[in-house]
Amino acid sequence: MGTEQHSDIPEAGLSLLFAPGDRPDAAQMARVLALTGEAGMAAAITHASPPSEGWIEILASGLAFDLSGLQPAPAAPARPFEHAYGFAAGVPDGLREAVLLVPSGHISAGAALPPVVRAMVGLAANLVLNLPVAAVQWHPARTVIEPRTFVRIIMNWLSGGAFPALGLTALTRADDGSVASSGLAYFTGQEVRVEGRPDEAPADAIKQAIRVVDFLSRVGPLDRPCSVEGMPGLIAEPSQYGKLVWVWRKA
């Protein structure tokens, strides 16, 4: 795990991490995409580079995405991460080979728009189901997610469930009991800090913050205080300094 910047890896996107030798090639990807079509998600290769370059363009849900780092080309570099979710025994060692999935050039400017994000993570979840992926990295929040956990939270979200706050964002509890987000600004332009309570269990504080992130992901950026839907007594208020939303309890 590290914190150094890798400017050659786009911030908008995700990486599928593999053990050495497990990365797919373009032919395997064509077979996998055929399986996703049978499962109900239409996706197809619209362009393929020479094998030595190791990238393809995929059309999914009417949007184009680039997948690079395929064999026999070199792997894409694995991105440093700060938060891990879903691993019972810690993140596996040796995950240095990545396949990179990003919005294609003509839609990259709208990479954070909900239709683009939903199409990309939906495609990724279908790939994870059909490839020996060892971990998934979500770049904007610097998270790494266990594959089955990734599929579960993404499929739940795409089916109308809660926004996957522990994965597409990260939540950290401070010593004072408050919980702060990382990566929410990618979607809304603002991070959030939820006021803590001295008598509140850490797990309860995180659960509350998850619900707040789900709310903010649906309403978008705030320019004035408002009540948090479904959470009586909680007020969300944009800070005058920086791109931050404070969530506090009404007395």
Side-chain angles (χ1 to χ4, degrees):
M1 181 168 61
T3 59
E4 67 272 23
Q5 295 295 317
H6 285 235
S7 59
D8 56 328
I9 307 176
E11 187 69 11
L14 57 86
S15 296
L16 306 178
L17 301 187
F18 295 85
D22 281 352
R23 281 182 300 124
D25 59 17
Q28 185 178 357
M29 286 306 308
R31 294 192 294 271
V32 166
L33 291 173
L35 293 174
T36 68
E38 294 174 4
M41 182 180 189
I45 297 174
T46 53
H47 183 78
S49 72
S52 60
E53 296 181 16
W55 70 269
I56 57 176
E57 183 184 73
I58 300 173
L59 189 69
S61 301
L63 299 169
F65 300 93
D66 289 338
L67 191 73
S68 59
L70 300 174
Q71 294 206 71
R79 188 179 184 85
F81 64 89
E82 295 177 355
H83 313 276
Y85 294 109
F87 297 95
V91 182
D93 292 331
L95 299 181
R96 296 293 180 267
E97 295 198 5
V99 169
L100 180 67
L101 180 65
V102 298
S104 196
H106 64 286
I107 63 168
S108 60
L113 294 175
V116 178
V117 174
R118 294 172 73 92
M120 182 171 63
V121 297
L123 172 60
N126 278 276
L127 297 182
V128 170
L129 285 171
N130 293 287
L131 291 169
V133 177
V136 180
Q137 289 186 302
W138 176 248
H139 302 163
R142 301 174 73 86
T143 56
V144 62
I145 312 159
E146 190 273 331
R148 290 170 297 180
T149 300
F150 178 80
V151 171
R152 175 177 55 80
I153 64 176
I154 294 303
M155 293 304 189
N156 178 67
W157 181 43
L158 297 181
S159 299
F163 179 82
L166 300 182
L168 298 194
T169 65
L171 296 173
T172 305
R173 187 173 183 270
D175 292 340
D176 64 1
S178 64
V179 178
S181 71
S182 175
L184 180 60
Y186 180 74
F187 300 96
T188 68
Q190 298 166 319
E191 297 295 349
V192 66
R193 188 176 186 90
V194 183
E195 180 184 68
R197 245 186 5 227
D199 59 342
E200 191 171 43
D204 291 337
I206 294 294
K207 288 178 182 177
Q208 177 176 256
I210 289 172
R211 295 178 63 189
V212 170
V213 168
D214 177 59
F215 168 74
L216 294 174
S217 73
R218 288 184 282 109
V219 303
L222 296 185
D223 59 7
R224 65 192 67 184
C226 69
S227 299
V228 179
E229 180 183 335
M231 304 185 74
L234 282 190
I235 304 297
E237 182 176 0
S239 171
Q240 296 180 9
Y241 306 99
K243 298 178 179 179
L244 181 68
V245 172
W246 293 94
V247 175
W248 48 276
R249 290 172 175 82
K250 190 174 181 180

mmCIF file with all atom_site columns, all heavy atoms in Angstrom, residues 235-250:
data_model
loop_
_atom_site.group_PDB
_atom_site.id
_atom_site.type_symbol
_atom_site.label_atom_id
_atom_site.label_alt_id
_atom_site.label_comp_id
_atom_site.label_asym_id
_atom_site.label_entity_id
_atom_site.label_seq_id
_atom_site.pdbx_PDB_ins_code
_atom_site.Cartn_x
_atom_site.Cartn_y
_atom_site.Cartn_z
_atom_site.occupancy
_atom_site.B_iso_or_equiv
_atom_site.pdbx_formal_charge
_atom_site.auth_seq_id
_atom_site.auth_comp_id
_atom_site.auth_asym_id
_atom_site.auth_atom_id
_atom_site.pdbx_PDB_model_num
ATOM 1   N N   . ILE A 1 235 ? -28.968 17.217 9.960  1.00 0.00 ? 235 ILE A N   1
ATOM 2   C CA  . ILE A 1 235 ? -28.930 18.336 9.024  1.00 0.00 ? 235 ILE A CA  1
ATOM 3   C C   . ILE A 1 235 ? -27.638 18.273 8.228  1.00 0.00 ? 235 ILE A C   1
ATOM 4   O O   . ILE A 1 235 ? -26.551 18.119 8.800  1.00 0.00 ? 235 ILE A O   1
ATOM 5   C CB  . ILE A 1 235 ? -29.011 19.688 9.767  1.00 0.00 ? 235 ILE A CB  1
ATOM 6   C CG1 . ILE A 1 235 ? -30.263 19.742 10.648 1.00 0.00 ? 235 ILE A CG1 1
ATOM 7   C CG2 . ILE A 1 235 ? -28.998 20.839 8.764  1.00 0.00 ? 235 ILE A CG2 1
ATOM 8   C CD1 . ILE A 1 235 ? -31.563 19.656 9.892  1.00 0.00 ? 235 ILE A CD1 1
ATOM 9   N N   . ALA A 1 236 ? -27.749 18.392 6.919  1.00 0.00 ? 236 ALA A N   1
ATOM 10  C CA  . ALA A 1 236 ? -26.578 18.459 6.037  1.00 0.00 ? 236 ALA A CA  1
ATOM 11  C C   . ALA A 1 236 ? -26.385 19.896 5.603  1.00 0.00 ? 236 ALA A C   1
ATOM 12  O O   . ALA A 1 236 ? -27.303 20.522 5.087  1.00 0.00 ? 236 ALA A O   1
ATOM 13  C CB  . ALA A 1 236 ? -26.772 17.554 4.831  1.00 0.00 ? 236 ALA A CB  1
ATOM 14  N N   . GLU A 1 237 ? -25.184 20.414 5.820  1.00 0.00 ? 237 GLU A N   1
ATOM 15  C CA  . GLU A 1 237 ? -24.924 21.828 5.549  1.00 0.00 ? 237 GLU A CA  1
ATOM 16  C C   . GLU A 1 237 ? -23.596 21.987 4.816  1.00 0.00 ? 237 GLU A C   1
ATOM 17  O O   . GLU A 1 237 ? -22.555 21.519 5.303  1.00 0.00 ? 237 GLU A O   1
ATOM 18  C CB  . GLU A 1 237 ? -24.885 22.607 6.854  1.00 0.00 ? 237 GLU A CB  1
ATOM 19  C CG  . GLU A 1 237 ? -24.660 24.096 6.680  1.00 0.00 ? 237 GLU A CG  1
ATOM 20  C CD  . GLU A 1 237 ? -24.730 24.850 7.996  1.00 0.00 ? 237 GLU A CD  1
ATOM 21  O OE1 . GLU A 1 237 ? -24.960 24.214 9.045  1.00 0.00 ? 237 GLU A OE1 1
ATOM 22  O OE2 . GLU A 1 237 ? -24.550 26.078 7.970  1.00 0.00 ? 237 GLU A OE2 1
ATOM 23  N N   . PRO A 1 238 ? -23.624 22.631 3.635  1.00 0.00 ? 238 PRO A N   1
ATOM 24  C CA  . PRO A 1 238 ? -22.357 22.838 2.928  1.00 0.00 ? 238 PRO A CA  1
ATOM 25  C C   . PRO A 1 238 ? -21.464 23.817 3.672  1.00 0.00 ? 238 PRO A C   1
ATOM 26  O O   . PRO A 1 238 ? -21.927 24.829 4.188  1.00 0.00 ? 238 PRO A O   1
ATOM 27  C CB  . PRO A 1 238 ? -22.804 23.408 1.577  1.00 0.00 ? 238 PRO A CB  1
ATOM 28  C CG  . PRO A 1 238 ? -24.152 24.002 1.835  1.00 0.00 ? 238 PRO A CG  1
ATOM 29  C CD  . PRO A 1 238 ? -24.780 23.173 2.908  1.00 0.00 ? 238 PRO A CD  1
ATOM 30  N N   . SER A 1 239 ? -20.187 23.496 3.748  1.00 0.00 ? 239 SER A N   1
ATOM 31  C CA  . SER A 1 239 ? -19.233 24.367 4.423  1.00 0.00 ? 239 SER A CA  1
ATOM 32  C C   . SER A 1 239 ? -18.930 25.585 3.557  1.00 0.00 ? 239 SER A C   1
ATOM 33  O O   . SER A 1 239 ? -18.945 25.520 2.324  1.00 0.00 ? 239 SER A O   1
ATOM 34  C CB  . SER A 1 239 ? -17.936 23.601 4.706  1.00 0.00 ? 239 SER A CB  1
ATOM 35  O OG  . SER A 1 239 ? -16.925 24.473 5.167  1.00 0.00 ? 239 SER A OG  1
ATOM 36  N N   . GLN A 1 240 ? -18.632 26.699 4.211  1.00 0.00 ? 240 GLN A N   1
ATOM 37  C CA  . GLN A 1 240 ? -18.230 27.905 3.484  1.00 0.00 ? 240 GLN A CA  1
ATOM 38  C C   . GLN A 1 240 ? -16.786 27.796 3.001  1.00 0.00 ? 240 GLN A C   1
ATOM 39  O O   . GLN A 1 240 ? -16.353 28.583 2.168  1.00 0.00 ? 240 GLN A O   1
ATOM 40  C CB  . GLN A 1 240 ? -18.372 29.126 4.393  1.00 0.00 ? 240 GLN A CB  1
ATOM 41  C CG  . GLN A 1 240 ? -19.809 29.415 4.809  1.00 0.00 ? 240 GLN A CG  1
ATOM 42  C CD  . GLN A 1 240 ? -19.913 30.644 5.704  1.00 0.00 ? 240 GLN A CD  1
ATOM 43  O OE1 . GLN A 1 240 ? -18.946 31.376 5.883  1.00 0.00 ? 240 GLN A OE1 1
ATOM 44  N NE2 . GLN A 1 240 ? -21.094 30.871 6.257  1.00 0.00 ? 240 GLN A NE2 1
ATOM 45  N N   . TYR A 1 241 ? -16.068 26.840 3.533  1.00 0.00 ? 241 TYR A N   1
ATOM 46  C CA  . TYR A 1 241 ? -14.653 26.688 3.196  1.00 0.00 ? 241 TYR A CA  1
ATOM 47  C C   . TYR A 1 241 ? -14.411 25.289 2.639  1.00 0.00 ? 241 TYR A C   1
ATOM 48  O O   . TYR A 1 241 ? -14.590 24.292 3.326  1.00 0.00 ? 241 TYR A O   1
ATOM 49  C CB  . TYR A 1 241 ? -13.777 26.921 4.428  1.00 0.00 ? 241 TYR A CB  1
ATOM 50  C CG  . TYR A 1 241 ? -14.059 28.235 5.106  1.00 0.00 ? 241 TYR A CG  1
ATOM 51  C CD1 . TYR A 1 241 ? -14.870 28.291 6.237  1.00 0.00 ? 241 TYR A CD1 1
ATOM 52  C CD2 . TYR A 1 241 ? -13.543 29.424 4.606  1.00 0.00 ? 241 TYR A CD2 1
ATOM 53  C CE1 . TYR A 1 241 ? -15.143 29.496 6.862  1.00 0.00 ? 241 TYR A CE1 1
ATOM 54  C CE2 . TYR A 1 241 ? -13.817 30.630 5.214  1.00 0.00 ? 241 TYR A CE2 1
ATOM 55  C CZ  . TYR A 1 241 ? -14.615 30.660 6.339  1.00 0.00 ? 241 TYR A CZ  1
ATOM 56  O OH  . TYR A 1 241 ? -14.892 31.862 6.948  1.00 0.00 ? 241 TYR A OH  1
ATOM 57  N N   . GLY A 1 242 ? -14.019 25.223 1.402  1.00 0.00 ? 242 GLY A N   1
ATOM 58  C CA  . GLY A 1 242 ? -13.714 23.939 0.812  1.00 0.00 ? 242 GLY A CA  1
ATOM 59  C C   . GLY A 1 242 ? -14.957 23.201 0.351  1.00 0.00 ? 242 GLY A C   1
ATOM 60  O O   . GLY A 1 242 ? -16.089 23.600 0.618  1.00 0.00 ? 242 GLY A O   1
ATOM 61  N N   . LYS A 1 243 ? -14.753 22.121 -0.363 1.00 0.00 ? 243 LYS A N   1
ATOM 62  C CA  . LYS A 1 243 ? -15.837 21.333 -0.925 1.00 0.00 ? 243 LYS A CA  1
ATOM 63  C C   . LYS A 1 243 ? -16.226 20.246 0.068  1.00 0.00 ? 243 LYS A C   1
ATOM 64  O O   . LYS A 1 243 ? -15.875 19.068 -0.084 1.00 0.00 ? 243 LYS A O   1
ATOM 65  C CB  . LYS A 1 243 ? -15.401 20.748 -2.260 1.00 0.00 ? 243 LYS A CB  1
ATOM 66  C CG  . LYS A 1 243 ? -15.078 21.830 -3.300 1.00 0.00 ? 243 LYS A CG  1
ATOM 67  C CD  . LYS A 1 243 ? -14.598 21.240 -4.601 1.00 0.00 ? 243 LYS A CD  1
ATOM 68  C CE  . LYS A 1 243 ? -14.306 22.341 -5.630 1.00 0.00 ? 243 LYS A CE  1
ATOM 69  N NZ  . LYS A 1 243 ? -13.818 21.788 -6.905 1.00 0.00 ? 243 LYS A NZ  1
ATOM 70  N N   . LEU A 1 244 ? -16.975 20.663 1.086  1.00 0.00 ? 244 LEU A N   1
ATOM 71  C CA  . LEU A 1 244 ? -17.291 19.773 2.198  1.00 0.00 ? 244 LEU A CA  1
ATOM 72  C C   . LEU A 1 244 ? -18.725 19.988 2.657  1.00 0.00 ? 244 LEU A C   1
ATOM 73  O O   . LEU A 1 244 ? -19.224 21.121 2.668  1.00 0.00 ? 244 LEU A O   1
ATOM 74  C CB  . LEU A 1 244 ? -16.328 20.037 3.365  1.00 0.00 ? 244 LEU A CB  1
ATOM 75  C CG  . LEU A 1 244 ? -16.501 19.180 4.613  1.00 0.00 ? 244 LEU A CG  1
ATOM 76  C CD1 . LEU A 1 244 ? -16.121 17.729 4.327  1.00 0.00 ? 244 LEU A CD1 1
ATOM 77  C CD2 . LEU A 1 244 ? -15.649 19.734 5.751  1.00 0.00 ? 244 LEU A CD2 1
ATOM 78  N N   . VAL A 1 245 ? -19.390 18.908 3.028  1.00 0.00 ? 245 VAL A N   1
ATOM 79  C CA  . VAL A 1 245 ? -20.704 18.961 3.646  1.00 0.00 ? 245 VAL A CA  1
ATOM 80  C C   . VAL A 1 245 ? -20.565 18.478 5.084  1.00 0.00 ? 245 VAL A C   1
ATOM 81  O O   . VAL A 1 245 ? -20.016 17.400 5.333  1.00 0.00 ? 245 VAL A O   1
ATOM 82  C CB  . VAL A 1 245 ? -21.718 18.077 2.892  1.00 0.00 ? 245 VAL A CB  1
ATOM 83  C CG1 . VAL A 1 245 ? -23.037 17.985 3.670  1.00 0.00 ? 245 VAL A CG1 1
ATOM 84  C CG2 . VAL A 1 245 ? -21.963 18.618 1.495  1.00 0.00 ? 245 VAL A CG2 1
ATOM 85  N N   . TRP A 1 246 ? -21.039 19.281 6.005  1.00 0.00 ? 246 TRP A N   1
ATOM 86  C CA  . TRP A 1 246 ? -21.073 18.889 7.410  1.00 0.00 ? 246 TRP A CA  1
ATOM 87  C C   . TRP A 1 246 ? -22.452 18.320 7.720  1.00 0.00 ? 246 TRP A C   1
ATOM 88  O O   . TRP A 1 246 ? -23.467 18.897 7.337  1.00 0.00 ? 246 TRP A O   1
ATOM 89  C CB  . TRP A 1 246 ? -20.823 20.092 8.325  1.00 0.00 ? 246 TRP A CB  1
ATOM 90  C CG  . TRP A 1 246 ? -19.443 20.657 8.238  1.00 0.00 ? 246 TRP A CG  1
ATOM 91  C CD1 . TRP A 1 246 ? -19.025 21.687 7.454  1.00 0.00 ? 246 TRP A CD1 1
ATOM 92  C CD2 . TRP A 1 246 ? -18.296 20.218 8.962  1.00 0.00 ? 246 TRP A CD2 1
ATOM 93  N NE1 . TRP A 1 246 ? -17.690 21.923 7.633  1.00 0.00 ? 246 TRP A NE1 1
ATOM 94  C CE2 . TRP A 1 246 ? -17.212 21.033 8.563  1.00 0.00 ? 246 TRP A CE2 1
ATOM 95  C CE3 . TRP A 1 246 ? -18.076 19.216 9.909  1.00 0.00 ? 246 TRP A CE3 1
ATOM 96  C CZ2 . TRP A 1 246 ? -15.933 20.862 9.083  1.00 0.00 ? 246 TRP A CZ2 1
ATOM 97  C CZ3 . TRP A 1 246 ? -16.801 19.061 10.415 1.00 0.00 ? 246 TRP A CZ3 1
ATOM 98  C CH2 . TRP A 1 246 ? -15.751 19.874 10.000 1.00 0.00 ? 246 TRP A CH2 1
ATOM 99  N N   . VAL A 1 247 ? -22.495 17.214 8.421  1.00 0.00 ? 247 VAL A N   1
ATOM 100 C CA  . VAL A 1 247 ? -23.767 16.632 8.855  1.00 0.00 ? 247 VAL A CA  1
ATOM 101 C C   . VAL A 1 247 ? -23.765 16.620 10.380 1.00 0.00 ? 247 VAL A C   1
ATOM 102 O O   . VAL A 1 247 ? -22.871 16.041 11.008 1.00 0.00 ? 247 VAL A O   1
ATOM 103 C CB  . VAL A 1 247 ? -23.971 15.219 8.302  1.00 0.00 ? 247 VAL A CB  1
ATOM 104 C CG1 . VAL A 1 247 ? -25.246 14.576 8.869  1.00 0.00 ? 247 VAL A CG1 1
ATOM 105 C CG2 . VAL A 1 247 ? -24.049 15.261 6.769  1.00 0.00 ? 247 VAL A CG2 1
ATOM 106 N N   . TRP A 1 248 ? -24.752 17.302 10.963 1.00 0.00 ? 248 TRP A N   1
ATOM 107 C CA  . TRP A 1 248 ? -24.790 17.442 12.402 1.00 0.00 ? 248 TRP A CA  1
ATOM 108 C C   . TRP A 1 248 ? -26.207 17.183 12.905 1.00 0.00 ? 248 TRP A C   1
ATOM 109 O O   . TRP A 1 248 ? -27.170 17.159 12.144 1.00 0.00 ? 248 TRP A O   1
ATOM 110 C CB  . TRP A 1 248 ? -24.332 18.845 12.831 1.00 0.00 ? 248 TRP A CB  1
ATOM 111 C CG  . TRP A 1 248 ? -24.957 19.970 12.083 1.00 0.00 ? 248 TRP A CG  1
ATOM 112 C CD1 . TRP A 1 248 ? -24.564 20.473 10.872 1.00 0.00 ? 248 TRP A CD1 1
ATOM 113 C CD2 . TRP A 1 248 ? -26.105 20.732 12.469 1.00 0.00 ? 248 TRP A CD2 1
ATOM 114 N NE1 . TRP A 1 248 ? -25.390 21.504 10.479 1.00 0.00 ? 248 TRP A NE1 1
ATOM 115 C CE2 . TRP A 1 248 ? -26.346 21.706 11.443 1.00 0.00 ? 248 TRP A CE2 1
ATOM 116 C CE3 . TRP A 1 248 ? -26.945 20.723 13.581 1.00 0.00 ? 248 TRP A CE3 1
ATOM 117 C CZ2 . TRP A 1 248 ? -27.389 22.622 11.510 1.00 0.00 ? 248 TRP A CZ2 1
ATOM 118 C CZ3 . TRP A 1 248 ? -27.990 21.640 13.643 1.00 0.00 ? 248 TRP A CZ3 1
ATOM 119 C CH2 . TRP A 1 248 ? -28.193 22.561 12.616 1.00 0.00 ? 248 TRP A CH2 1
ATOM 120 N N   . ARG A 1 249 ? -26.314 16.957 14.214 1.00 0.00 ? 249 ARG A N   1
ATOM 121 C CA  . ARG A 1 249 ? -27.600 16.630 14.835 1.00 0.00 ? 249 ARG A CA  1
ATOM 122 C C   . ARG A 1 249 ? -28.273 17.879 15.357 1.00 0.00 ? 249 ARG A C   1
ATOM 123 O O   . ARG A 1 249 ? -27.673 18.647 16.115 1.00 0.00 ? 249 ARG A O   1
ATOM 124 C CB  . ARG A 1 249 ? -27.384 15.635 15.978 1.00 0.00 ? 249 ARG A CB  1
ATOM 125 C CG  . ARG A 1 249 ? -26.971 14.251 15.490 1.00 0.00 ? 249 ARG A CG  1
ATOM 126 C CD  . ARG A 1 249 ? -26.575 13.365 16.667 1.00 0.00 ? 249 ARG A CD  1
ATOM 127 N NE  . ARG A 1 249 ? -26.294 12.027 16.213 1.00 0.00 ? 249 ARG A NE  1
ATOM 128 C CZ  . ARG A 1 249 ? -25.140 11.629 15.687 1.00 0.00 ? 249 ARG A CZ  1
ATOM 129 N NH1 . ARG A 1 249 ? -24.159 12.511 15.545 1.00 0.00 ? 249 ARG A NH1 1
ATOM 130 N NH2 . ARG A 1 249 ? -24.963 10.395 15.298 1.00 0.00 ? 249 ARG A NH2 1
ATOM 131 N N   . LYS A 1 250 ? -29.514 18.039 14.958 1.00 0.00 ? 250 LYS A N   1
ATOM 132 C CA  . LYS A 1 250 ? -30.298 19.166 15.447 1.00 0.00 ? 250 LYS A CA  1
ATOM 133 C C   . LYS A 1 250 ? -30.657 18.963 16.906 1.00 0.00 ? 250 LYS A C   1
ATOM 134 O O   . LYS A 1 250 ? -31.114 17.888 17.317 1.00 0.00 ? 250 LYS A O   1
ATOM 135 C CB  . LYS A 1 250 ? -31.579 19.277 14.619 1.00 0.00 ? 250 LYS A CB  1
ATOM 136 C CG  . LYS A 1 250 ? -32.384 20.532 14.845 1.00 0.00 ? 250 LYS A CG  1
ATOM 137 C CD  . LYS A 1 250 ? -33.544 20.587 13.870 1.00 0.00 ? 250 LYS A CD  1
ATOM 138 C CE  . LYS A 1 250 ? -34.363 21.859 14.067 1.00 0.00 ? 250 LYS A CE  1
ATOM 139 N NZ  . LYS A 1 250 ? -35.496 21.904 13.111 1.00 0.00 ? 250 LYS A NZ  1
#
